[in-house]
Amino acid sequence: IYPMPTWEERIFDNSFGSAEIIITALTFFLISLSMLCLILTVLYRNHNAISTSKIPFLVSTLIGSLFTYSSVFTLMPSLVNSVSCNLKYWLFGLGFIFMFGALFAKAIRVYAVIRNRSLSEFNMTDNALWIIILTLSGIEIVILTIFTGFSGIEAVLLKPDIYRRSTWKYDCSVSQSYWITLSILLAFNLLLVVVGIYTAVRIRKVPYKLFNEAKMLAFTMYNIVFFGVIVAIIYSVTGISYYDKFISSVLMIIAGTAITVFIVFGRLLLFWHSSKNSTADNNITTSPTTSGSSSDEKTRLQNGIKMLEEQVEFLKESLSVIDKQNEQLLKKYQRLLVKNKGDQQFRTKEEDNVTFET
């Protein structure tokens, strides 16, 4: 065998590399942050900053981030086995459905509110949001179960050169029905993406003072789709080593998930900080004998006044739209009157002519 393999080439080393160690540490750090945010969300669920952002939306986003971060470990070359080959689809699928599903449910809520043309108050409750998120998750779990049962995914040891064990590596093999079941899974997620992006486009021009979350939802949806497309392109490109694909795709997954969590909870922290400052200002202006409950009451009253002002702004804009529609209807009505008057004169002339001839 020429050239003769070196001693290093004769050794099959499947241990952790330096890049895998760094990525593992970074992933554990981000998982810890998501866990901390989840605990704080549950503990302070009655705070105005959290309750107004909707608990199901926040909790579902964090659960999705935990699933997505955990999927990084199933992509590591040193941890490839039959369990990780199947588990990565579950972690990716559930992570996507919980994160994007939460954004989808929140966008549907905003869209339903702005499309409500009745004078009655419309409010989508937390239970309704949970129903949407859990329904989407249930459909995803059913499709993943069918996918796992029929795709025949298992780990195999590839030996490009039997004399050079350093070239050996574990990889995931699939059966012929893999692409059929995968297409069903991708079709459902793609349908959800299309409907979500359509809703995000429709709500992007919602008045900022009333629903300042509309632009955040749209940007976050675009962010998830953008990084997901990049990961798909990376794995479809040939000529790139498996290790390079792993590093680049994992960085994209981490970046997309971390940016989404940062956007959602960064805005939440800013609102929390502003509410704390307003409470501190109220405490300074009040007398020392004022109790803590009165300051909280003042904060709630200020938030209520702010919400009423936002609703007034929304009603003003709605009235302007109604006025424009009324003007268009009035012009149409005037054109119809002119047309009917002309038709009536024409019929009168015809009747006169018939009478004259008779």
Side-chain angles (χ1 to χ4, degrees), residues 32 64 120 212 235 245 272 277 284 312 331 357:
S32 302
S120 59
N212 54 2
Y235 271 95
K245 286 184 178 180
W272 197 330
N277 288 339
I284 292 174
V312 169
K331 291 179 180 178
E357 291 176 357

Side-chain angles (χ1 to χ4, degrees), residues 109-126:
R109 170 184 171 269
V110 176
Y111 183 72
V113 170
I114 64 175
R115 293 289 295 177
N116 180 34
R117 299 186 182 278
S118 63
L119 296 177
S120 59
E121 182 181 359
F122 177 85
N123 183 28
M124 183 176 288
T125 62
D126 290 351

Side-chain angles (χ1 to χ4, degrees), residues 89 147 150-154 156 172-179:
Y89 293 97
F147 171 79
F150 291 93
S151 58
I153 303 175
E154 60 180 359
V156 295
C172 301
S173 65
V174 297
S175 63
Q176 294 180 351
S177 59
Y178 167 80
W179 296 105

Side-chain angles (χ1 to χ4, degrees), residues 72-337:
V72 171
F73 301 112
T74 62
L75 298 176
M76 291 186 175
S78 303
L79 299 177
V80 176
N81 51 57
S82 296
V83 175
S84 64
C85 288
N86 288 278
L87 187 61
K88 65 182 178 182
Y89 293 97
W90 282 82
L91 294 177
F92 272 126
L94 293 177
F96 170 80
I97 209 70
F98 272 102
M99 291 188 69
F100 197 88
L103 297 168
F104 178 82
K106 194 74 177 291
I108 290 294
R109 170 184 171 269
V110 176
Y111 183 72
V113 170
I114 64 175
R115 293 289 295 177
N116 180 34
R117 299 186 182 278
S118 63
L119 296 177
S120 59
E121 182 181 359
F122 177 85
N123 183 28
M124 183 176 288
T125 62
D126 290 351
N127 292 332
L129 291 176
W130 274 124
I131 290 173
I132 296 175
I133 295 171
L134 295 179
T135 301
L136 295 175
S137 303
I139 297 173
E140 184 81 4
I141 290 173
V142 171
I143 298 176
L144 283 171
T145 303
I146 298 173
F147 171 79
T148 305
F150 291 93
S151 58
I153 303 175
E154 60 180 359
V156 295
L157 181 60
L158 302 179
K159 302 178 181 179
D161 190 340
I162 60 174
Y163 300 104
R164 291 173 173 81
R165 297 189 175 186
S166 61
T167 61
W168 294 5
K169 65 176 182 179
Y170 283 99
D171 201 359
C172 301
S173 65
V174 297
S175 63
Q176 294 180 351
S177 59
Y178 167 80
W179 296 105
I180 299 175
T181 53
L182 181 64
S183 62
I184 298 174
L185 180 63
L186 293 178
F188 170 68
N189 291 322
L190 182 61
L191 176 63
L192 185 63
V193 168
V194 171
V195 177
I197 292 179
Y198 169 78
T199 308
V201 170
R202 294 299 301 269
I203 67 175
R204 74 186 188 280
K205 293 183 179 181
V206 176
Y208 181 79
K209 291 183 179 180
L210 180 65
F211 289 109
N212 54 2
E213 59 196 14
K215 294 181 177 59
M216 180 270 293
L217 292 173
F219 179 77
T220 308
M221 283 186 176
Y222 301 151
N223 169 69
I224 293 177
V225 174
F226 173 74
F227 283 102
V229 170
I230 290 180
V231 172
I233 293 174
I234 290 172
Y235 271 95
S236 62
V237 173
T238 58
I240 303 177
S241 65
Y242 183 81
Y243 203 78
D244 293 337
K245 286 184 178 180
F246 157 71
I247 295 176
S248 54
S249 61
V250 162
L251 291 178
M252 293 297 103
I253 292 170
I254 291 176
T257 307
I259 290 174
T260 301
V261 175
F262 176 76
I263 292 173
V264 173
F265 285 88
R267 171 180 169 275
L268 185 64
L269 289 175
L270 288 176
F271 181 68
W272 197 330
H273 181 69
S274 62
S275 64
K276 276 189 174 182
N277 288 339
S278 62
T279 304
D281 294 339
N282 291 333
N283 292 334
I284 292 174
T285 55
T286 54
S287 61
T289 58
T290 304
S291 61
S293 59
S294 62
S295 62
D296 293 338
E297 183 67 24
K298 288 184 177 180
T299 303
R300 285 194 294 269
L301 288 174
Q302 287 181 350
N303 292 332
I305 293 172
K306 186 177 179 181
M307 290 179 64
L308 288 174
E309 291 175 350
E310 293 173 351
Q311 291 178 1
V312 169
E313 292 291 333
F314 177 71
L315 289 174
K316 287 181 179 178
E317 296 188 2
S318 300
L319 289 174
S320 64
V321 173
I322 293 173
D323 290 338
K324 292 180 181 179
Q325 292 177 351
N326 289 335
E327 290 178 0
Q328 294 176 357
L329 291 174
L330 182 60
K331 291 179 180 178
K332 187 175 180 180
Y333 177 70
Q334 291 174 350
R335 287 196 299 267
L336 290 174
L337 284 178

